Structure formats: structure tokens, C-alpha cells
Amino acid sequence: MDITDLATKIIAQDRRALARAITLVESGRADHRAQAAELVDLLRERSDHRAIRIGLSGTPGVGKSTFIESFGMMLTGGKMAMQDLQTSAKDGLRVAVLAVDPSSARSGGSILGDKTRMDRLSREPRAFIRPSPSQSHLGGVARRTREAVALCEAAGFDVVLIETVGVGQSETVVAEISDLFILLLAPAGGDELQGVKRGIMEMADMILVNKADGDLKAAAMRTCSDYSGALRLLRKRAQDPEGFPKAMTVSALQEDGLAGAWEDMQSLTEWRKAQGHFDARRAAQAEYWFDQEVRQGLLAALEREPLKGTMSLIGARVAKGEITPSLAAKEVLAQLHKA
């Protein structure tokens, strides 16, 4: 594969080249990993375009796909222009959606049905939707989603939406990819404040209570009020202006409240850029992913010979009770150090 040619096509906004590149960065083959690293580094040198990266999390059934489709259609349709870009309102914004689907713990497969659920947005020429398997990675974010985001930025997309699988508190890892972390909630879910634990609330920049329409509208207003009160009790973060993080109601089905949510997202982003928090956050994220790459590399070494064979032999001794798990682990780590 000609990496230089692929990079040129991506910068020229070739959608097919972008799809091929994302497939490349998601591959686990050693030769593909080397090519992917070369491609991402080349694009970093040749493209300085930066998108707003928005991470979206929420429990299954909250309406994430419906929200993304309505929100994406609003942005691509030109109903809301981005404040810091020269894009005219009539042209609309270019929106990329990276939808991460849960992988089966048994077979490793994924349904990858997000594109089917976003029928209108999938046919929008200014939108690009890419479903990816989570591959059992904690946080519901595919391991290479970060690199896929960088590819979408280089391809000239103005907004990159990262939808996670919504599996629990480990979802907070999406905050290490995005500039804004949006938590979607549904009303009338029982004990609302126990529905989401404190850890993920502390990471959220905005909480959007979806399905605020019809019979659920009153319940949505109460849920929003509950979370607004809870957010005021949390410790103030340096990267937040007055009034943030905030909770508000939206209806993805009726497309109500989406424009207000987008205006607040832009206001928060602009404030952070002016105060230096935006660049500082991206720098901290780069350092975080460096640490993760080192850790993943060490874990990958355990899956290769000779350490893989050593693990199997020592594991058999542990099973027979000949050695304790702690001493066995120490022995393996000693072998890793020598390698």
C-alpha cells in the first residue's frame, strides 16, 4: 500500500481512501500497524485541520443513534454554522460519526448496525459514518478509535462524533479522545441519580436528557432538574466557565433543543480555546495515549513466543497448586524484563 498516495487522497477528502485508512489502523497485523503509524504521522505533518471532537455516552436505549442522526442532519443541513470556521450556513458542516459497537465476548463479532439505524444521515453527502467493533476494549471505545479520529480530522471534517457502546462507568475513556464529553440520559428510568455513577458525571461537560417529548416531557424536566442540582454539588473544574457543566433537555425525535445544545457546545469550546484549556487538554490526551500504547505493547508481548509458552507452563503449575499466583506472576515478569 502506497502510504503517501493514501495520505494525499485523504487530505483531498476522498471518502473511499478514508475508509481504507480506518480499516488499516484497526488491523492488528504487525505490518499494518507499522503502515498505520506511518500514515498517521504523515497526516500530522501535512494537515493542520482540527475538528471539534464530541464524545457521546449513555446507557443502551437512551436514543444515542437517533440523537446523532438528528444532530448530524442539523449540522450538515446548514441550520447551524460553526463560529470559528469560515463555513457558510448554507453550505453546512462536514460531520464524521465513529460508532463503536459492542463485540461478543464469545465469538468476538459485532452486528455493526449503527449505519442502518441512521438512514437519513448515512445518505447525506457531507456526513461519513463508520461503525467499528469495540473488540472487548474497556470503555466501549475501539483501541484504534483515536487514530480514526485523527484520520477524519485530516480528511477535513468539521465535527467528529464518537458514539460509545454504553456499558458502564469505564465509558469515561472516551473523554481521553474528545474535546467535549456529552452524557445522554433518558427520563423516567427509576432512581435517576443512581442511574449514572459519580465518576462518569464528573467527566461530563454537558448532560442531555433525551426523549423530552410527549408523555415523557414532564419526567424529562424533573430528571434535568435533579441532575442540574447534582452538578452544582460537584467540585468546580478549572476548564469550565460559569454555568458548566450543565444539564438540559432535548428531543432527538422532534429535533427540539438541538440548536441550543450546539450553541452551548460552541461557547464552551471557544472559552476553552481562549483560556488555553483546549490545547492543554489535547496535550494531556496525547501523553495519556502514549502511556496506553506502552502498556498495550507490554500486554501484546505476553501473547507472543517465548513468553506465551512460559505463561502456559507456569499457569499449569499454578493450577496444580505447585506455586502461588503471586510468585508465578513475579517469575513471568522477570522473564519479560529479560526479553
Side-chain angles (χ1 to χ4, degrees):
M1 184 180 297
D2 188 336
I3 298 301
T4 302
D5 180 59
L6 187 60
T8 301
K9 290 180 177 178
I10 290 172
I11 294 174
Q13 301 181 359
D14 186 323
R15 297 163 68 91
R16 184 172 296 180
L18 176 59
R20 287 181 60 204
I22 294 178
T23 300
L24 179 67
V25 301
E26 289 178 346
S27 173
R29 280 176 42 176
D31 57 333
H32 287 175
R33 289 304 313 140
Q35 289 180 319
E38 180 185 351
L39 175 62
V40 173
D41 191 55
L42 186 59
L43 288 171
R44 179 185 59 82
E45 294 175 353
R46 295 175 58 178
S47 174
D48 59 356
H49 180 77
R50 294 206 297 185
I52 291 184
R53 307 170 180 176
I54 302 175
L56 287 161
S57 182
T59 54
V62 74
K64 292 191 295 293
S65 295
T66 305
F67 173 83
I68 288 175
E69 179 167 57
S70 297
F71 189 63
M73 289 300 294
M74 179 190 73
L75 297 179
T76 58
K79 296 178 183 178
M80 273 299 196
M82 189 180 291
Q83 292 171 357
D84 62 344
L85 293 178
Q86 298 302 314
T87 308
S88 65
K90 66 177 182 179
D91 291 335
L93 301 176
R94 301 184 72 234
V95 178
V97 179
L98 301 176
V100 184
D101 264 14
S103 297
S104 167
R106 176 175 296 180
S107 66
S110 297
I111 296 176
L112 302 179
D114 294 88
K115 198 166 185 176
T116 303
R117 293 201 301 270
M118 303 178 198
D119 180 57
R120 287 187 302 150
L121 192 61
S122 65
R123 290 183 277 113
E124 167 58 52
R126 285 181 291 274
F128 175 83
I129 303 176
R130 173 70 181 220
S132 300
S134 66
Q135 301 169 339
S136 301
H137 187 70
L138 280 179
V141 177
R143 183 181 169 193
R144 299 302 170 188
T145 301
R146 172 184 56 89
E147 292 174 336
V149 170
L151 294 177
C152 291
E153 277 195 319
F157 285 95
D158 303 309
V159 179
V160 180
L161 299 171
I162 307 141
E163 179 200 4
T164 63
V165 299
V167 293
Q169 198 161 340
S170 58
E171 289 274 297
T172 52
V173 73
V174 75
E176 299 298 340
I177 299 176
S178 52
D179 302 316
L180 299 175
F181 181 32
I182 310 300
L183 181 60
L184 281 175
L185 298 176
D191 190 355
E192 272 81 3
L193 287 181
Q194 286 297 321
V196 179
K197 299 302 181 183
R198 175 167 177 154
I200 198 168
M201 278 186 63
E202 289 178 325
M203 302 295 289
D205 295 307
M206 291 177 63
I207 293 178
L208 301 182
V209 181
N210 193 22
K211 303 185 180 182
D213 50 58
D215 295 338
L216 289 176
K217 187 165 186 178
M221 297 298 291
R222 289 194 299 270
T223 300
C224 181
S225 178
D226 289 342
Y227 276 99
S228 295
L231 289 173
R232 286 193 290 269
L233 298 177
L234 298 181
R235 183 178 301 174
K236 181 72 174 176
R237 303 181 304 184
Q239 71 268 28
D240 292 329
E242 191 64 34
F244 285 89
K246 65 166 57 177
M248 59 190 301
T249 59
V250 296
S251 171
L253 189 63
Q254 296 184 352
E255 301 183 3
D256 183 36
L258 302 183
W262 174 236
E263 288 177 353
D264 285 340
M265 291 178 199
Q266 290 186 94
S267 297
L268 178 57
T269 301
E270 289 306 304
W271 186 87
R272 286 179 174 174
K273 286 181 177 180
Q275 299 298 318
H277 295 298
F278 187 90
D279 290 332
R281 181 60 183 153
R282 287 211 172 181
Q285 288 175 346
E287 188 174 4
Y288 169 85
W289 287 108
F290 158 71
D291 177 81
Q292 291 300 306
E293 286 293 330
V294 172
R295 292 174 185 272
Q296 292 292 336
L298 292 173
L299 290 174
L302 298 176
E303 298 296 324
R304 298 192 299 267
E305 298 294 352
L307 285 173
K308 186 176 181 179
T310 301
M311 284 277 288
S312 180
L313 292 173
I314 296 179
R317 292 175 59 199
V318 172
K320 293 177 182 178
E322 297 175 0
I323 185 173
T324 66
S326 297
L327 288 176
K330 187 175 181 181
E331 189 173 331
V332 171
L333 290 173
Q335 293 285 337
L336 179 62
H337 181 70
K338 291 178 183 178

